[in-house]
Amino acid sequence: MNMLSPPAEAHKAFHDPAAAVKELQRLYTEATEFLCTQFMQAMAKGAPAAHVRAFYPEIRLTTTSYAQVDTRLSYGHVSTPGTYAATITRPDLFENYLVQQIGLLVSNHGQPVEIGYSDTPMPVHFAVANDATINVPQQGAAEFPLRDVFDVPDLSTTNDDIVNGTYETKDGIGPLAPFTAQRIDYSLARLAHYTATDPGHFQNHVLFTNYQFYVSEFETYARTQLDDPASGYTSFVSTGNATITAGDQALPETLKMPQMPTYHLKREDGSGITLVNIGVGPSNAKTATDHIAVLRPHAWIMVGHCAGLRNSQALGDFVLAHAYLREDHVLDNDLPPWVPVPALAEIQIALEQAVAQVTSLEGYELKRIMRTGTVASYADRNWELRDQRGPVQRLSQSRAVALDMESATIAANGYRFRVPYGTLLCVSDKPLHGELKLPGMASDFYKTQVANHLMIGIRAMERLREMPLERIHSRKLRSFDETAFL
């Protein structure tokens, strides 16, 4: 088959991680500009006489010895001798991450990384995604079949085989990173669609909520921080990428809300906080975390509302999850229900300390407003209307103290994607004790606690931000044969 491609180049060896990333950026820019140019010419003049193809750049590492690495570190090294590779997209967006991960590889193994083009074709849809002036027509809308001329997304390289532990090594080359370039490109496109903000705005600490009230609270907090030069926060980004850099600046009214409204309180180094209102349900929770995971955040925490299952609880009490009953089943095909999802000590401690800080309660007194226990997540919002003997018995046997629809999914996907996770919920109703979620049920205590809830999540993230990265990324999240990259 005749082929139009950028000139082939031999792989180059690099000991300097910054120089390696610069080479990745050069190759990626060359490939995307080539595809964009060829695509625009084809749309204007018709199909070229040859197939147009460009390739993703890649990182390769070959090591012949069992490196003596710091075993306290859960990443930054491969476990056995061999050749490992990862296709790379958007090296501009992932520059800091790539420099850090390549630096650890070179340091731990004493070997250079090799940078060059891979043999994975770059779909034209992803190549033109960063140019708002170019639109790829739907199949059949162009004057020629698009896939006859350009490469399109391929499910054989757009999947979760690596993170799910089902990846089969090809040609003796193992995976170096948890996601392929195509999988990342797919998620970056989905994130822009679902959140109405550019993926580049996402920060390393992500809060999820299922309650719109927290959005206005988050904006209010963001404005106070922007007016404080010592806060370290530099801008606040709302839907549609609307950005303010001072507390008194106005944000345009959002005429059409996205499915998952998302807001970013940014810091220059990416260590700020992103808030995502995922709405209701485990499917939304899975969708959001499936795509945010490719950005490799340092932590994500659910701060939502739940049903309290114990008579001793009051509306507005907090629940710190230390275990999950996964009754939603949305992740069963990717993470079987027999897989335990452990609590992570660093996240748990940060959340408990944040509750104490915001409520001014400590030690035994903290038990008045917070319980630690199992959180059950159901897919059926109206589970109360069924014959309760089965569900209630299972909830009791599991020692569950709260029930919602999202927390177990977010935690399970954190476990699956090696993203540190946690859950702090606020009791908004007690269906087993006659306090249903109805207008007028909220007490003053409940309203106060809701206002405190988001601040607790923020304070917990700020504590995590001060921790060394190697402490947050627990070895509990790593399997027998892990990728070197986080």
Side-chain angles (χ1 to χ4, degrees):
M1 178 173 64
N2 292 331
M3 192 79 66
L4 285 173
S5 294
E9 298 184 32
H11 281 54
K12 300 176 183 177
F14 292 88
H15 285 90
D16 180 356
V21 174
K22 291 298 182 187
E23 178 69 1
L24 287 169
Q25 292 171 341
R26 183 187 71 83
L27 294 174
Y28 178 79
T29 298
E30 181 181 71
T32 53
E33 288 182 349
F34 172 82
L35 286 175
C36 287
T37 299
Q38 294 293 328
F39 178 78
M40 288 188 291
Q41 290 180 355
M43 292 297 104
K45 301 178 181 180
H51 191 88
V52 177
R53 174 168 290 171
F55 299 91
Y56 284 109
E58 71 170 1
I59 304 170
R60 284 194 180 220
L61 172 76
T62 299
T63 179
T64 58
S65 71
Y66 291 88
Q68 297 298 310
V69 299
D70 185 348
T71 57
R72 296 171 298 177
L73 196 64
S74 68
Y75 57 93
H77 51 82
V78 297
S79 57
T80 58
T83 298
Y84 301 83
T87 51
I88 301 298
T89 188
R90 293 294 304 276
D92 57 330
L93 177 62
F94 293 98
E95 181 175 5
N96 292 337
Y97 167 80
L98 290 170
V99 168
Q100 178 196 56
Q101 300 302 306
I102 292 173
L104 287 170
L105 275 184
V106 172
S107 174
N108 283 328
H109 291 282
Q111 298 290 333
V113 295
E114 294 185 330
I115 306 297
Y117 280 123
S118 70
D119 58 3
T120 300
M122 183 183 295
V124 67
H125 303 71
F126 299 147
V128 306
N130 298 320
D131 190 335
T133 66
I134 305 177
N135 290 309
V136 179
Q138 294 290 330
Q139 189 68 30
E143 295 182 359
F144 57 90
L146 195 66
R147 64 181 62 206
D148 283 354
V149 178
F150 296 96
D151 292 295
V152 298
D154 178 6
L155 289 181
S156 69
T157 55
T158 312
N159 53 55
D160 286 329
D161 288 353
I162 300 174
V163 290
N164 285 349
T166 58
Y167 179 85
E168 295 183 3
T169 298
K170 300 172 184 176
D171 301 322
I173 300 175
L176 193 60
F179 298 104
T180 64
Q182 279 211 39
R183 169 66 168 83
I184 293 173
D185 270 337
Y186 170 76
S187 283
L188 295 180
R190 293 292 82 201
L191 276 178
H193 171 73
Y194 284 120
T195 71
T197 57
D198 188 277
H201 291 308
F202 274 78
Q203 301 295 285
N204 285 327
H205 306 92
V206 182
L207 292 173
F208 297 104
T209 187
N210 54 12
Y211 190 31
Q212 180 64 23
F213 172 82
Y214 293 158
V215 171
S216 57
E217 288 288 301
F218 190 57
E219 180 180 336
T220 299
Y221 175 77
R223 290 180 180 277
T224 65
Q225 296 305 293
L226 293 181
D227 285 338
D228 179 5
S231 72
Y233 294 107
T234 56
S235 62
F236 177 72
V237 179
S238 181
T239 53
N241 297 313
T243 304
I244 60 174
T245 56
D248 59 354
Q249 291 179 329
L251 284 168
E253 182 180 355
T254 303
L255 299 179
K256 184 179 179 181
M257 294 296 287
Q259 184 171 342
M260 298 179 190
T262 300
Y263 309 84
H264 314 276
L265 181 54
K266 299 178 65 175
R267 292 167 68 97
E268 289 291 348
D269 61 357
S271 65
I273 300 172
T274 289
L275 176 70
V276 186
N277 183 1
I278 57 175
V280 176
S283 181
N284 276 4
K286 180 180 185 297
T287 298
T289 49
D290 276 351
H291 300 314
I292 293 173
V294 305
L295 298 175
R296 309 316 294 146
H298 294 169
W300 63 40
I301 292 175
M302 177 67 181
V303 285
H305 281 191
C306 68
L309 300 178
R310 304 301 179 91
N311 194 39
S312 57
Q313 291 170 302
L315 300 189
D317 277 356
F318 297 124
V319 174
L320 177 59
H322 72 182
Y324 300 90
L325 178 62
R326 295 166 52 198
E327 293 281 75
D328 54 273
H329 301 297
V330 71
L331 277 169
D332 285 5
N333 291 331
D334 294 301
L335 192 72
W338 51 261
V339 176
V341 179
L344 303 180
E346 293 78 9
I347 307 293
Q348 299 296 96
I349 292 171
L351 281 168
E352 183 171 349
Q353 290 176 342
V355 175
Q357 178 184 359
V358 172
T359 64
S360 299
L361 296 174
E362 294 183 358
Y364 193 63
E365 286 300 304
L366 201 57
K367 290 179 175 290
R368 293 183 184 277
I369 62 164
M370 187 180 77
R371 291 195 63 146
T372 301
T374 297
V375 170
S377 290
Y378 270 56
D380 181 4
R381 176 60 187 86
N382 299 314
W383 65 275
E384 305 101 321
L385 304 181
R386 296 176 52 204
D387 181 348
Q388 293 187 16
R389 286 171 295 181
V392 172
Q393 183 181 46
R394 288 171 62 82
L395 291 172
S396 179
Q397 289 174 328
S398 71
R399 311 299 194 268
V401 298
L403 183 146
D404 76 346
M405 300 184 69
E406 300 87 22
S407 293
T409 303
I410 289 171
N413 245 1
Y415 182 85
R416 183 164 75 105
F417 292 131
R418 288 74 164 171
V419 176
Y421 52 85
T423 301
L424 184 76
L425 302 177
C426 184
V427 175
S428 61
D429 60 328
K430 296 169 57 182
L432 300 183
H433 308 285
E435 295 190 64
L436 303 180
K437 190 175 290 184
L438 298 171
M441 289 292 290
S443 64
D444 289 339
F445 171 70
Y446 169 74
K447 294 174 183 176
T448 299
Q449 291 298 79
V450 168
N452 286 337
H453 193 192
L454 177 67
M455 187 54 60
I456 292 169
I458 291 171
R459 295 295 182 228
M461 288 304 198
E462 290 174 343
R463 289 175 179 272
L464 293 171
R465 183 169 63 216
E466 301 305 317
M467 288 187 189
L469 194 58
E470 58 270 18
R471 277 194 58 197
I472 299 173
H473 285 272
S474 171
R475 288 177 294 180
K476 289 193 287 290
L477 298 182
R478 313 292 277 181
S479 61
F480 296 161
D481 189 17
E482 276 293 332
T483 62
F485 283 16
L486 273 179

